[in-house]
Structures are given as C-alpha cells and as structure tokens.
Amino acid sequence: MMKKYSKLLFLVSILYTQNTVSDDIISFIEELDNKTIILSMESLENQTKLSISGEQIYFDTFSENKSIILIENNEVRTYDFNNQLIIIESADETLLDVFNKGELSRYNMTEINNEESISLVTYTLGSKLLLIGFDNISKQILSLQIQDEGVSLFETKIVDIIDFDVPLISNNFDSWEVLDWRDVN
C-alpha cells in the first residue's frame, strides 16, 4: 500500500512541476508586452532586439544588416534601411509567433528536464520542436531554439529585457519604395 502511495505521489509531483513550469513560461511571454528583449544569436555577430507591442513583433537586426522586420497578424514587413525599401509579404506563421500571447498553447509540451534551477522544456507542433531553457528562480526564459525536422531554424539566448525600444516608429517612409508580395485572394 505504501509503495502504491509513493508512486502516486511521485507521479502527481512530476505532473504538477510540468504544469507549473509551463504556466510560468506562458506568464513570462505574456509579460513581454511593451518590452524589448536583447538577444544573442550565434548566427549574428551583433546582438539583436525583439520588441513586442500588442499584436506587433519587431525583430531588429539593424546593427547586423540594417533591417527591421515588423510582424503583425499574417503580414510581415521588412524595412531595409540600406536600400530604403519596404517589402510586404503574407505569412501564415513565423518563427517568432511563439512570442505572441496564446501562441504557445498551440504547442504540446512533450518533455521537461530539470537541472538544478533550470528547466529544459521541449514543445512540439507538427514537425517543429521548440526547446526552451527556463530559469525557475527568476521565472525567465534564458534560451530558445526552434527546429524543424532536426534542422535548427532559430537559436537565441536572452541577454536582457528592457523597456520598449523600436527606432522604426519615429521614421517617415513616404519616399521609400514598396514591394508588395502579399497573397491576394
């Protein structure tokens, strides 16, 4: 009887830990509204910024390639400051959708590994894997990687979180060329 009780208690504690970590990750993402995340990516020499304001996500690689990408709903706008060009495209989903409120709920948590105060959490969505390193003490995402069929598409570490900071908003783009590649139905 005691053995069955111990196994049940162990199972409940594992499930409770998974739900708590998953809930903490969701809360962390929801609290990113009107914030800018400073990211370190191996694929880029310089740090980059990811800023979130409501339904808008700004991916600022200006220091790397002089561009800023704005993702909103199913539209992606790339502001190319080198060529004074705006490229508008349609996208059903992007790699950065996970930072939208509620988007993580589309993924299924499949694995959680706890190493001291860090949880390594694996989510799946179709052929995609989302790997999140989460600090259980500070309740923050430390790293994030998105893979599709074993190929890493996006890998980053969070360096800092600051107040919302996007230089794009104050610019006037009236004289820029616009290429509209959206799907028209």
Side-chain angles (χ1 to χ4, degrees):
M1 178 74 156
M2 186 65 159
K3 212 175 203 184
K4 285 183 181 180
Y5 178 74
S6 295
K7 287 180 182 179
L8 181 62
L9 185 59
F10 177 72
L11 182 61
V12 168
S13 69
I14 288 174
L15 292 174
Y16 178 74
T17 301
Q18 287 181 343
N19 287 340
T20 301
V21 171
S22 183
D23 292 344
D24 288 344
I25 290 171
I26 290 168
S27 293
F28 174 78
I29 291 171
E30 288 176 349
E31 291 171 6
L32 290 175
D33 193 25
N34 291 316
K35 301 277 189 217
T36 294
I37 309 165
I38 309 298
L39 302 173
S40 172
M41 301 177 69
E42 285 186 29
S43 60
L44 301 176
E45 278 185 39
N46 300 306
Q47 291 179 344
T48 188
K49 294 188 227 176
L50 179 77
S51 302
I52 301 164
S53 177
E55 298 297 316
Q56 297 177 325
I57 297 175
Y58 297 86
F59 188 55
D60 180 349
T61 58
F62 190 85
S63 61
E64 187 72 25
N65 61 13
K66 304 290 187 259
S67 68
I68 298 175
I69 297 170
L70 167 61
I71 301 166
E72 184 174 18
N73 299 319
N74 292 354
E75 185 177 283
V76 177
R77 288 180 178 250
T78 302
Y79 294 84
D80 178 347
F81 287 83
N82 280 330
N83 300 305
Q84 294 191 342
L85 176 67
I86 302 171
I87 301 170
I88 307 171
E89 302 172 86
S90 298
D92 291 333
E93 60 182 53
T94 70
L95 296 175
L96 302 175
D97 284 346
V98 72
F99 289 101
N100 278 329
K101 289 182 182 176
E103 283 297 308
L104 188 60
S105 64
R106 293 181 27 203
Y107 287 77
N108 295 314
M109 186 172 55
T110 57
E111 187 177 349
I112 185 167
N113 294 317
N114 292 310
E115 297 177 9
E116 297 181 25
S117 64
I118 308 295
S119 291
L120 302 171
V121 185
T122 304
Y123 293 89
T124 59
L125 178 64
S127 63
K128 281 192 216 166
L129 278 180
L130 171 62
L131 308 164
I132 294 178
F134 188 76
D135 186 321
N136 297 312
I137 296 172
S138 65
K139 304 291 186 204
Q140 292 191 75
I141 293 175
L142 301 174
S143 63
L144 185 130
Q145 181 180 16
I146 299 171
Q147 297 177 358
D148 194 358
E149 297 183 2
V151 176
S152 181
L153 304 175
F154 183 81
E155 187 171 357
T156 189
K157 291 183 179 168
I158 295 178
V159 175
D160 198 8
I161 300 171
I162 60 174
D163 289 332
F164 187 75
D165 176 35
V166 178
L168 179 69
I169 294 172
S170 62
N171 287 328
N172 181 345
F173 300 103
D174 293 342
S175 65
W176 285 32
E177 182 182 355
V178 176
L179 294 177
D180 192 339
W181 293 342
R182 287 178 286 188
D183 297 332
V184 181
N185 294 329

